[in-house]
Short mmCIF file of all heavy atoms in Angstrom, two decimals:
data_model
loop_
_atom_site.label_atom_id
_atom_site.label_comp_id
_atom_site.label_asym_id
_atom_site.label_seq_id
_atom_site.Cartn_x
_atom_site.Cartn_y
_atom_site.Cartn_z
N THR A 31 106.44 50.30 99.14
CA THR A 31 107.04 50.05 100.37
C THR A 31 107.91 48.81 100.30
O THR A 31 107.69 48.00 99.28
CB THR A 31 105.93 49.88 101.42
OG1 THR A 31 105.02 48.87 100.96
CG2 THR A 31 105.13 51.19 101.49
N ALA A 32 108.54 48.44 101.35
CA ALA A 32 109.33 47.26 101.38
C ALA A 32 108.46 46.04 101.15
O ALA A 32 107.37 45.91 101.78
CB ALA A 32 110.10 47.24 102.68
N GLY A 33 108.92 45.16 100.27
CA GLY A 33 108.10 43.96 99.93
C GLY A 33 107.14 44.11 98.89
O GLY A 33 106.60 43.11 98.37
N ASP A 34 106.88 45.34 98.30
CA ASP A 34 106.05 45.43 97.13
C ASP A 34 106.78 44.81 95.97
O ASP A 34 107.92 44.92 95.80
CB ASP A 34 105.68 46.95 96.92
CG ASP A 34 104.75 47.48 97.79
OD1 ASP A 34 104.17 46.73 98.66
OD2 ASP A 34 104.45 48.73 97.80
N VAL A 35 105.89 44.28 95.09
CA VAL A 35 106.43 43.66 93.87
C VAL A 35 105.61 44.16 92.71
O VAL A 35 104.36 44.22 92.72
CB VAL A 35 106.31 42.12 93.88
CG1 VAL A 35 106.76 41.52 92.59
CG2 VAL A 35 107.03 41.49 95.01
N VAL A 36 106.36 44.65 91.62
CA VAL A 36 105.71 45.00 90.35
C VAL A 36 105.87 43.93 89.35
O VAL A 36 107.10 43.67 89.06
CB VAL A 36 106.16 46.41 89.83
CG1 VAL A 36 105.56 46.73 88.52
CG2 VAL A 36 105.95 47.40 90.87
N VAL A 37 104.85 43.29 88.86
CA VAL A 37 105.06 42.38 87.80
C VAL A 37 104.47 42.87 86.54
O VAL A 37 103.38 43.37 86.43
CB VAL A 37 104.23 41.11 88.24
CG1 VAL A 37 104.24 40.03 87.20
CG2 VAL A 37 104.67 40.50 89.55
N LYS A 38 105.34 42.76 85.49
CA LYS A 38 104.88 43.16 84.14
C LYS A 38 104.91 42.02 83.20
O LYS A 38 105.83 41.13 83.36
CB LYS A 38 105.81 44.25 83.64
CG LYS A 38 105.74 45.59 84.30
CD LYS A 38 106.49 46.71 83.61
CE LYS A 38 106.31 48.00 84.17
NZ LYS A 38 106.86 49.02 83.40
N GLN A 39 104.09 42.01 82.27
CA GLN A 39 104.06 40.94 81.25
C GLN A 39 104.05 41.56 79.82
O GLN A 39 103.45 42.59 79.62
CB GLN A 39 102.74 40.08 81.35
CG GLN A 39 102.57 39.31 82.65
CD GLN A 39 101.30 38.60 82.71
OE1 GLN A 39 100.46 38.89 81.92
NE2 GLN A 39 101.34 37.64 83.66
N GLN A 40 104.85 40.96 78.94
CA GLN A 40 104.91 41.37 77.59
C GLN A 40 104.00 40.48 76.72
O GLN A 40 104.10 39.31 76.76
CB GLN A 40 106.31 41.28 77.18
CG GLN A 40 106.65 42.04 75.92
CD GLN A 40 108.12 41.94 75.59
OE1 GLN A 40 108.88 41.04 76.17
NE2 GLN A 40 108.70 42.88 74.73
N VAL A 41 102.93 41.05 76.22
CA VAL A 41 101.89 40.32 75.55
C VAL A 41 101.76 40.77 74.21
O VAL A 41 102.05 41.93 73.80
CB VAL A 41 100.54 40.33 76.40
CG1 VAL A 41 100.65 39.73 77.73
CG2 VAL A 41 100.04 41.78 76.53
N GLU A 42 101.01 39.99 73.34
CA GLU A 42 100.68 40.43 72.01
C GLU A 42 99.81 41.59 72.00
O GLU A 42 98.99 41.89 73.02
CB GLU A 42 99.95 39.22 71.34
CG GLU A 42 98.61 38.95 71.85
CD GLU A 42 97.93 37.65 71.31
OE1 GLU A 42 98.60 36.93 70.53
OE2 GLU A 42 96.80 37.49 71.60
N TYR A 43 99.83 42.36 70.91
CA TYR A 43 99.00 43.51 70.84
C TYR A 43 97.61 43.28 70.37
O TYR A 43 97.37 42.33 69.60
CB TYR A 43 99.56 44.56 69.78
CG TYR A 43 98.80 45.75 69.62
CD1 TYR A 43 98.70 46.79 70.43
CD2 TYR A 43 97.83 45.81 68.44
CE1 TYR A 43 97.89 47.91 70.16
CE2 TYR A 43 97.04 46.87 68.20
CZ TYR A 43 97.05 47.92 69.09
OH TYR A 43 96.20 48.96 68.86
N LYS A 44 96.68 43.88 71.06
CA LYS A 44 95.30 43.75 70.71
C LYS A 44 94.66 45.09 70.55
O LYS A 44 94.69 45.89 71.56
CB LYS A 44 94.47 42.82 71.65
CG LYS A 44 93.05 42.75 71.33
CD LYS A 44 92.25 41.87 72.24
CE LYS A 44 90.88 41.90 71.75
NZ LYS A 44 89.97 41.14 72.69
N ASP A 45 93.96 45.45 69.44
CA ASP A 45 93.20 46.71 69.31
C ASP A 45 92.09 46.69 70.26
O ASP A 45 91.21 45.78 70.09
CB ASP A 45 93.01 46.87 67.95
CG ASP A 45 92.32 48.29 67.64
OD1 ASP A 45 92.37 49.15 68.62
OD2 ASP A 45 91.99 48.57 66.52
N PRO A 46 91.88 47.63 71.14
CA PRO A 46 90.68 47.59 72.04
C PRO A 46 89.33 47.99 71.33
O PRO A 46 88.29 47.59 71.86
CB PRO A 46 90.94 48.68 72.98
CG PRO A 46 91.97 49.54 72.42
CD PRO A 46 92.77 48.67 71.46
N LEU A 47 89.39 48.41 70.09
CA LEU A 47 88.19 48.62 69.21
C LEU A 47 87.33 49.74 69.69
O LEU A 47 86.75 50.47 68.90
CB LEU A 47 87.33 47.35 69.07
CG LEU A 47 88.17 46.19 68.43
CD1 LEU A 47 87.19 44.94 68.39
CD2 LEU A 47 88.64 46.50 67.04
N THR A 48 87.11 49.96 70.92
CA THR A 48 86.25 51.06 71.43
C THR A 48 87.03 51.89 72.29
O THR A 48 88.06 51.47 72.93
CB THR A 48 85.11 50.52 72.27
OG1 THR A 48 85.60 49.73 73.33
CG2 THR A 48 84.22 49.64 71.37
N ASN A 49 86.57 53.06 72.44
CA ASN A 49 87.30 54.03 73.30
C ASN A 49 86.11 54.85 74.04
O ASN A 49 85.09 54.88 73.68
CB ASN A 49 88.33 54.94 72.62
CG ASN A 49 87.80 55.67 71.53
OD1 ASN A 49 86.54 55.75 71.36
ND2 ASN A 49 88.58 56.31 70.73
N GLY A 50 86.70 55.74 74.99
CA GLY A 50 85.68 56.69 75.62
C GLY A 50 85.30 56.06 76.97
O GLY A 50 85.67 55.04 77.53
N GLN A 51 84.47 56.88 77.58
CA GLN A 51 84.08 56.65 78.99
C GLN A 51 83.07 55.52 78.87
O GLN A 51 82.22 55.34 78.01
CB GLN A 51 83.33 57.82 79.45
CG GLN A 51 83.00 57.69 81.04
CD GLN A 51 82.51 59.20 81.56
OE1 GLN A 51 82.37 60.10 80.73
NE2 GLN A 51 82.05 59.10 82.81
N GLY A 52 83.22 54.55 79.86
CA GLY A 52 82.30 53.48 80.00
C GLY A 52 82.61 52.22 79.14
O GLY A 52 81.94 51.20 79.11
N ALA A 53 83.86 52.32 78.45
CA ALA A 53 84.25 51.23 77.68
C ALA A 53 84.82 50.01 78.57
O ALA A 53 85.52 50.36 79.62
CB ALA A 53 85.23 51.63 76.62
N ILE A 54 84.54 48.85 78.16
CA ILE A 54 85.01 47.74 78.97
C ILE A 54 86.00 46.97 78.10
O ILE A 54 85.65 46.44 76.98
CB ILE A 54 83.91 46.84 79.46
CG1 ILE A 54 83.01 47.52 80.38
CG2 ILE A 54 84.55 45.57 80.13
CD1 ILE A 54 81.75 46.77 80.75
N TRP A 55 87.32 46.87 78.47
CA TRP A 55 88.26 46.07 77.75
C TRP A 55 88.63 44.80 78.59
O TRP A 55 88.95 44.95 79.72
CB TRP A 55 89.48 46.96 77.64
CG TRP A 55 89.36 48.24 76.82
CD1 TRP A 55 88.31 48.56 75.94
CD2 TRP A 55 90.09 49.37 76.80
NE1 TRP A 55 88.41 49.71 75.30
CE2 TRP A 55 89.61 50.38 75.99
CE3 TRP A 55 91.24 49.70 77.52
CZ2 TRP A 55 90.17 51.55 75.72
CZ3 TRP A 55 91.83 51.05 77.21
CH2 TRP A 55 91.24 51.86 76.39
N ASP A 56 88.76 43.74 77.80
CA ASP A 56 89.14 42.48 78.52
C ASP A 56 90.37 41.92 77.86
O ASP A 56 90.35 41.48 76.74
CB ASP A 56 87.98 41.43 78.48
CG ASP A 56 88.35 40.12 79.15
OD1 ASP A 56 89.26 40.19 79.90
OD2 ASP A 56 87.61 39.23 79.08
N PHE A 57 91.55 42.16 78.44
CA PHE A 57 92.90 41.66 77.92
C PHE A 57 93.36 40.48 78.73
O PHE A 57 94.50 40.16 78.70
CB PHE A 57 93.89 42.89 78.04
CG PHE A 57 93.49 44.10 77.23
CD1 PHE A 57 93.28 45.30 77.83
CD2 PHE A 57 93.34 43.96 75.84
CE1 PHE A 57 93.05 46.36 77.08
CE2 PHE A 57 92.99 45.07 75.13
CZ PHE A 57 92.84 46.26 75.71
N ALA A 58 92.43 39.73 79.34
CA ALA A 58 92.89 38.59 80.22
C ALA A 58 93.36 37.50 79.39
O ALA A 58 94.19 36.71 79.99
CB ALA A 58 91.53 38.22 81.05
#
Side-chain angles (χ1 to χ4, degrees):
T31 58
D34 285 353
V35 177
V36 176
V37 177
K38 291 189 172 190
Q39 294 179 343
Q40 198 174 15
V41 295
E42 65 186 10
Y43 175 78
K44 178 180 180 187
D45 187 6
L47 301 177
T48 58
N49 57 10
Q51 188 173 0
I54 297 174
W55 298 338
D56 184 9
F57 298 121

